[in-house]
Amino acid sequence: MNSNAHNQVSIHALDGIPDIHPGDDLSGLILAALDGNQCSLDDGDIIVIAHKVVSKQEGQIIDLNDISPTVEAQTLGSELNKDPRKVQVVLSESKRLVRTSKRPEQDEGTIIAEHRLGFICANAAVDESNVDAAGKVILLPHDPDQSARGICQDLERASGKSLGVVITDTFGRPWRMGLVNVAVGLANVPAKVDLAGDMDAYGRVLSVTVPALADEIAAASGLLMSKNGKKPVLIFKGVDWQRCESSARDLVRPQQEDLFR
Amino acid sequence: MNSNAHNQVSIHALDGIPDIHPGDDLSGLILAALDGNQCSLDDGDIIVIAHKVVSKQEGQIIDLNDISPTVEAQTLGSELNKDPRKVQVVLSESKRLVRTSKRPEQDEGTIIAEHRLGFICANAAVDESNVDAAGKVILLPHDPDQSARGICQDLERASGKSLGVVITDTFGRPWRMGLVNVAVGLANVPAKVDLAGDMDAYGRVLSVTVPALADEIAAASGLLMSKNGKKPVLIFKGVDWQRCESSARDLVRPQQEDLFR
């Protein structure tokens, strides 16, 4: 098997990341899991982390019993057959609603919202699964880029290696069925790679070829990061990337360039 | 490093796939490249192929000099500053146009079209890069699922292994910047995996969790399938999947469920 670094990428799931609680030392738990999995970090490795463990560590969990829905949330909840307290949390996490809809065959309707960080997704990324009690919902981290940078610095300090971190969430998509993981927080890893000016195989300049590197990595993480939440941390080895100052917000298409809002 | 099959995925790019011409024995060239890369196939391996080599093998290449644009194509070409012959090819490949737009700062405008196979993408997937002569454009394969099945059967017969094939194209996306590879043709690999009824880590039933497995694989392929077109074939090992009759058209969101057309 060809072992050239740029001809091979490997993805490793870490077993043994425990259930995370507010204030836990997430970086320390990742380092312990690396040890437990006999996985050592190399320069250029990218650590991919499901946002939920970061959100939990940061206490980004809302008890719906603490929420008093506004009239707006009550009205929308009634239209969509959604818990108005959950609708209130979605509204609080959103800059604006992009679409709301309920088809007759749906039990609960759909809210597509622009999250306060710019991401457009269902329910402003407010999620009920993998929370340790019914009646609680989990938000994105307060600033997922900052969370990624903090974890990356901890792991770089402990390992002495140059690393990247991608924090992911699972989003639906227009036009295509099924969910894919996308990048919501980045440390060092470029959001996208501008190949403009590079040549194709026939020596013609590629004008608009901008692979969304961080989303390629995030989507790949879905192959091992089982949705049941038990493998929230993966290590990617062999990805060809250049360290840079980056932000997952660079993956948000500016409104004036977006034909589908 | 943990070698448990479900804790590790590896992706291998094959060097040495030559430029493909109509009528070439693509399966034979892939088998030769596997040999040349000392890469053997195992049960459960998934072969990921950039559609362009399949399209070329099938002769899905149009010489724009052979195209006489209709008045509709001429008008739209003029509005969007696009070669009307290319617009004509886009129209011929489309069921309908979803959006057309040209912003002042764009040299050439954008056509988002519903491809005859249902995929919604820019220019109905008609592409100018990686064709061996200016003035030619390349289409999707005539029936990418059928192409995938044919190649998969050839590779299974030669190797004696149970395999899957994913044929990819590179699409832009609403809401998010950058391009990702998506699945446009499938053999044996499920388009998506229905986890409904499975439990999350806290024993609650996951109601709407449907990872788009084939698109996760396609997006991951972008990490090695450099856009310059020289590594169009990858081997994925270690993916957890169940063989089934599948079609990439199962990834197309039905119009009545799509809030963004």
Side-chain angles (χ1 to χ4, degrees):
Chain A
M1 188 63 69
N2 196 318
S3 61
N4 177 310
H6 293 177
N7 271 345
Q8 186 170 331
V9 166
S10 63
I11 316 172
H12 309 266
L14 298 186
D15 281 323
I17 301 282
D19 194 18
I20 302 296
H21 298 97
D24 279 351
D25 173 16
L26 182 55
S27 303
L29 292 167
I30 292 172
L31 288 163
L34 282 160
D35 275 353
N37 288 264
Q38 286 94 52
C39 181
S40 58
L41 293 173
D42 298 304
D43 281 326
D45 284 359
I46 296 171
I47 296 88
V48 180
I49 308 174
H51 86 87
K52 281 194 186 170
V53 295
V54 180
S55 295
K56 287 179 180 179
Q57 189 274 332
E58 295 181 0
Q60 289 281 84
I61 301 168
I62 303 282
D63 187 333
L64 293 178
N65 292 320
D66 296 338
I67 300 294
S68 302
T70 58
V71 172
E72 182 189 7
Q74 290 178 24
T75 305
L76 190 54
S78 165
E79 283 173 20
L80 301 176
N81 194 34
K82 266 177 137 52
D83 185 329
R85 301 169 304 167
K86 189 177 168 191
V87 173
Q88 180 62 52
V89 178
V90 171
L91 292 172
S92 305
E93 283 287 283
S94 303
K95 279 189 212 172
R96 69 182 181 96
L97 303 187
V98 177
R99 295 276 196 292
T100 62
S101 154
K102 183 176 179 305
R103 298 192 309 277
E105 75 275 18
Q106 284 181 306
D107 174 36
E108 208 178 284
T110 306
I111 299 175
I112 306 293
E114 183 175 337
H115 185 271
R116 59 183 168 77
L117 296 172
F119 306 119
I120 298 183
C121 58
N123 296 323
V126 175
D127 201 332
E128 286 166 297
S129 64
N130 287 308
V131 192
D132 61 358
K136 289 188 180 176
V137 293
I138 192 157
L139 315 180
L140 284 189
H142 175 67
D143 179 347
D145 287 327
Q146 196 183 344
S147 308
R149 288 182 204 122
I151 294 167
C152 198
Q153 282 163 11
D154 291 344
L155 299 179
E156 288 190 319
R157 203 175 295 123
S159 67
K161 305 297 181 183
S162 172
L163 304 171
V165 167
V166 177
I167 295 176
T168 67
D169 194 8
T170 305
F171 282 11
R173 312 169 289 174
W175 308 342
R176 294 181 74 79
M177 298 294 282
L179 304 174
V180 290
N181 286 1
V182 299
V184 296
L186 294 177
N188 303 336
V189 178
K192 44 196 169 43
V193 179
D194 194 347
L195 299 181
D198 286 8
M199 305 282 182
D200 71 12
Y202 298 93
R204 269 195 310 283
V205 172
L206 290 165
S207 54
V208 288
T209 302
V210 181
L213 177 71
D215 277 347
E216 291 174 341
I217 292 166
S221 76
L223 296 173
L224 284 173
M225 205 181 265
S226 62
K227 183 67 185 181
N228 70 19
K230 288 182 178 157
K231 292 176 189 173
V233 181
L234 309 181
I235 313 297
F236 279 58
K237 292 177 175 287
V239 176
D240 183 15
W241 63 288
Q242 302 295 319
R243 187 182 178 99
C244 68
E245 280 198 28
S246 64
S247 167
R249 297 169 80 158
D250 294 337
L251 288 162
V252 176
R253 189 178 287 276
Q255 179 148 13
Q256 66 274 19
E257 294 182 18
D258 200 329
L259 303 174
F260 298 93
R261 288 201 188 184
Chain B
M1 187 64 68
N2 196 317
S3 61
N4 179 308
H6 293 180
N7 272 343
Q8 183 169 332
V9 167
S10 63
I11 317 173
H12 309 266
L14 298 185
D15 282 323
I17 300 283
D19 193 19
I20 302 296
H21 298 98
D24 280 351
D25 173 15
L26 182 55
S27 303
L29 292 167
I30 292 171
L31 288 163
L34 282 160
D35 276 351
N37 288 263
Q38 287 94 51
C39 181
S40 59
L41 293 174
D42 297 305
D43 280 326
D45 285 0
I46 296 171
I47 296 89
V48 181
I49 308 174
H51 85 87
K52 281 194 187 171
V53 296
V54 180
S55 296
K56 287 178 178 179
Q57 190 272 334
E58 295 180 1
Q60 289 281 82
I61 301 169
I62 304 283
D63 187 333
L64 292 178
N65 291 320
D66 296 338
I67 299 295
S68 301
T70 58
V71 173
E72 182 188 8
Q74 290 177 25
T75 306
L76 189 54
S78 166
E79 283 172 20
L80 301 177
N81 193 35
K82 265 177 139 54
D83 184 331
R85 301 170 304 170
K86 189 177 168 191
V87 174
Q88 180 63 53
V89 178
V90 171
L91 292 172
S92 304
E93 283 288 283
S94 301
K95 277 190 214 171
R96 69 181 181 99
L97 303 188
V98 177
R99 296 276 197 289
T100 62
S101 153
K102 183 178 179 304
R103 298 192 309 277
E105 75 275 17
Q106 283 181 308
D107 174 38
E108 208 177 283
T110 306
I111 300 175
I112 307 294
E114 183 175 336
H115 184 273
R116 59 182 168 77
L117 295 173
F119 306 120
I120 297 184
C121 58
N123 296 322
V126 175
D127 201 331
E128 286 166 297
S129 65
N130 289 308
V131 192
D132 63 357
K136 289 188 179 175
V137 293
I138 193 157
L139 315 179
L140 283 189
H142 175 68
D143 179 345
D145 286 326
Q146 195 181 347
S147 309
R149 285 181 206 124
I151 295 167
C152 197
Q153 281 164 10
D154 291 344
L155 299 180
E156 289 190 319
R157 203 174 297 124
S159 66
K161 304 297 181 183
S162 173
L163 305 170
V165 167
V166 177
I167 296 177
T168 66
D169 194 6
T170 305
F171 282 10
R173 312 170 287 174
W175 309 342
R176 293 181 75 80
M177 298 293 282
L179 305 174
V180 290
N181 287 0
V182 300
V184 296
L186 294 178
N188 302 338
V189 178
K192 44 196 170 39
V193 179
D194 195 347
L195 300 180
D198 285 8
M199 304 282 183
D200 72 11
Y202 298 94
R204 270 196 308 283
V205 172
L206 290 164
S207 54
V208 289
T209 302
V210 181
L213 177 71
D215 277 348
E216 292 175 341
I217 292 166
S221 77
L223 296 173
L224 285 173
M225 207 181 262
S226 61
K227 182 64 187 182
N228 71 18
K230 288 180 177 159
K231 292 175 189 173
V233 181
L234 309 182
I235 313 297
F236 279 59
K237 292 179 175 286
V239 175
D240 183 15
W241 62 287
Q242 301 295 321
R243 188 183 179 99
C244 68
E245 280 199 30
S246 63
S247 166
R249 298 169 80 159
D250 293 337
L251 288 160
V252 176
R253 189 179 288 276
Q255 179 148 10
Q256 65 274 22
E257 293 183 19
D258 200 330
L259 303 175
F260 298 93
R261 290 204 185 179

